Amino acid sequence: MTEHDSAGTGWLLQVAAVRRSQFLKEALRPHGVRPRWYGVLVTLAESGPLPQQQLGETLGIDRTTMVGLIDQLEEEALLQRRRSPDDRRRYLIGLTAEGERHAKGMLVVGSEADAELLAGLTPHEIRTLDELLARIADQPAAPQPAEPDSATPQPTAPPLATLGGAAEPRRAAK
């Protein structure tokens, strides 16, 4: 039994994701690339152009932050926005030629960071981990709540005390 056995799979996945982010951040530092830039560049390199909203959902980035990232990467001439031919209200986000070159280099950097992170595993364990994580990644995402309609009254959060929190300062037990 290890010290993490009681924590649960979800917690271990979270800790592993944080560790991966730490390794990736250090690997990207000499290249002047921010980790979120990496996510956008690599996602677009793998998928091709995507609607702005889908790109944000894929990366788990809210709309406002996604717009800022796209603005930054557009200023660096690494990606471009263009109107969707299917829906003129939407933008497709795609890599420029410079962005494609940059993304290829970032894939190498990411692979090197992963190799360092996974150095304690055997090749068989890494393949097994990849297969299991792919199965998790291929599951449908949890349904997202609809955007609230400003004309419809929204429910308020229940008082903290009903959630097991303390509405008043706790008193010492007698």
Side-chain angles (χ1 to χ4, degrees):
M1 189 164 182
T2 70
E3 65 181 283
H4 302 298
D5 286 344
S6 65
T9 305
W11 183 82
L12 290 170
L13 286 169
Q14 178 65 30
V15 170
V18 168
R19 295 284 186 277
R20 200 287 176 149
S21 292
Q22 292 167 340
F23 275 91
L24 182 62
K25 185 176 180 179
E26 286 306 308
L28 293 173
R29 186 183 315 273
H31 302 281
V33 175
R34 298 177 185 142
R36 284 203 168 168
W37 287 15
Y38 171 89
V40 172
L41 294 172
V42 169
T43 299
L44 292 172
E46 295 288 324
S47 68
L50 289 174
Q52 186 170 315
Q53 182 177 350
Q54 184 180 347
L55 179 60
E57 288 170 359
T58 298
L59 295 168
I61 298 173
D62 67 78
R63 288 181 193 182
T64 303
T65 303
M66 191 75 241
V67 169
L69 281 170
I70 290 169
D71 287 346
Q72 292 167 8
L73 290 164
E74 201 170 34
E75 286 174 21
E76 298 290 326
L78 299 175
L79 59 75
Q80 61 187 354
R81 290 179 175 106
R82 60 183 166 86
R83 294 276 182 194
S84 169
D86 301 327
D87 183 348
R88 303 270 308 142
R89 295 170 295 176
R90 292 181 5 179
Y91 283 99
L92 290 178
I93 308 303
L95 296 175
T96 61
E98 180 66 13
E100 287 179 23
R101 188 186 65 72
H102 223 73
K104 286 178 186 174
M106 292 304 96
L107 284 167
V108 171
V109 170
S111 293
E112 291 169 354
D114 290 347
E116 189 175 342
L117 173 67
L118 302 173
L121 301 178
T122 67
H124 175 73
E125 289 171 327
I126 293 170
R127 279 192 304 278
T128 300
L129 179 62
D130 285 347
E131 290 168 5
L132 294 171
L133 290 173
R135 285 175 48 194
I136 292 170
D138 288 343
Q139 292 180 12
Q144 299 298 311
E147 291 288 325
D149 177 0
S150 60
T152 306
Q154 300 300 311
T156 57
L160 183 59
T162 65
L163 299 173
E168 300 176 16
R170 293 183 187 252
R171 297 197 172 103
K174 294 183 184 182

